[in-house]
Amino acid sequence: YYKNITTKEINDIYEEKKNKVKVINDYYEYLRFIYEEKINHTPTELYFLKNMSIIFISLDNTSKYLEKWYQIMKEKTSQRVALIHNNLDFSHIIENNKPYLISWDKSNYNIPIYDFVHFYKKEFNNIDFIDLLTIYKNNINITKEELYLLYIEILLPKKIIFDIVNNSNLGIDDSNTSNVNDVNVYNQDFNTNTNVNLNDNQNVVNDNNQVAINSLKFMNHFCVNNYDVVKQASLKNIVKWDLESMTWAENGQVTEN
């Protein structure tokens, strides 16, 4: 159903997301400055440096889609909401004579695209974004502003927390705090027991890196495999980083890095 939304509410959402983009951008600019000054890097720091272009591409595109969303929404007086699952992945779908969606304990009323966002971020290795979006569009008459919001939520990078003092990566922070001292904060909610191997030539990093590495892999996967979506945001100089071949593809021209 559609619920009323005021101009103030729209402006508040816009300013909150705009501020979040700025905070995350400032944070990664700070990290880039710190790590580019270092001589010896940990495997995780090297992984970050190799992929930081993806972070800034994602931030740039987030800002562009946010402006497009705002230009539409500032003329609106209502927005669509629905009962959403809010924790959607393949493990919550079971089949008997027909499929059932289970585990509704985190459900709430929100804009429908958030189920899509949560599902794709969890299952991006198992399903193609364009295929999923096509299925979604065929079943739901998604509006332009909802599509822009979907892109915003997918493209906005997480703030990966690094411990500068101990030279380690600790997890992910979802706050909007801009204090650079955040680099020493560990978000306990992102503990993990799974190791990750960055590539064949590097050692397995410690357990707390997994979620952060997956966040970078998600951004890389989305930007590289959904070039048209990223390009639509009018970024002048799209750069795609291929982790396996370690080459830059700039405007379609592949060159050795």
Side-chain angles (χ1 to χ4, degrees), residues 6 26 33 78 112 187 191 243 251:
T6 66
D26 290 348
F33 172 78
S78 63
N187 187 338
N191 256 331
L243 288 176
N251 295 333

Side-chain angles (χ1 to χ4, degrees), residues 227-238:
Y227 179 75
D228 288 341
V229 172
V230 178
K231 184 173 64 175
Q232 285 173 12
S234 302
L235 185 64
K236 292 182 179 179
N237 190 25
I238 297 292

Side-chain angles (χ1 to χ4, degrees), residues 4-16:
N4 293 335
I5 187 168
T6 66
T7 301
K8 182 181 183 306
E9 288 175 318
I10 293 169
N11 288 338
D12 287 346
I13 294 170
Y14 171 73
E15 291 298 332
E16 183 269 331

